[in-house]
Amino acid sequence: MNEVKHYTAVVERCLDTGLYVGYVPGFPGAHSQGKTLEELNDNLKQVIDLILEDGPPEIMGEFVGTQVVTVA
């Protein structure tokens, strides 16, 4: 039985294309895009599955959260 793993993706919407763009912080190569959030999620799953076929990558960082920066 495969172990279920969860990855946190950062998601933005490109104002030029309208596409959702996502990446997993610290996970080399784990990035994709999609017309909908569901399509982006499916695409990210596929990319992560492909990367994991070669064995677990060396994770270079960990998602911590977001922060508001105020500039006067």
Side-chain angles (χ1 to χ4, degrees), residues 24-42:
V24 179
F27 194 136
H31 53 86
S32 192
Q33 61 187 24
K35 291 180 183 176
T36 65
L37 290 172
E38 182 179 353
E39 182 180 12
L40 171 61
N41 192 275
D42 290 343

Side-chain angles (χ1 to χ4, degrees), residues 10 15-16 24-27 31 41 45 48-49 65 69:
V10 175
L15 297 178
D16 291 333
V24 179
F27 194 136
H31 53 86
N41 192 275
K45 286 179 190 178
I48 291 170
D49 281 340
V69 178

Side-chain angles (χ1 to χ4, degrees), residues 35-62:
K35 291 180 183 176
T36 65
L37 290 172
E38 182 179 353
E39 182 180 12
L40 171 61
N41 192 275
D42 290 343
N43 292 344
L44 284 170
K45 286 179 190 178
Q46 290 176 19
V47 168
I48 291 170
D49 281 340
L50 286 171
I51 292 169
L52 293 176
E53 283 181 1
D54 293 332
E58 182 179 342
I59 301 298
M60 308 300 282
E62 174 183 351

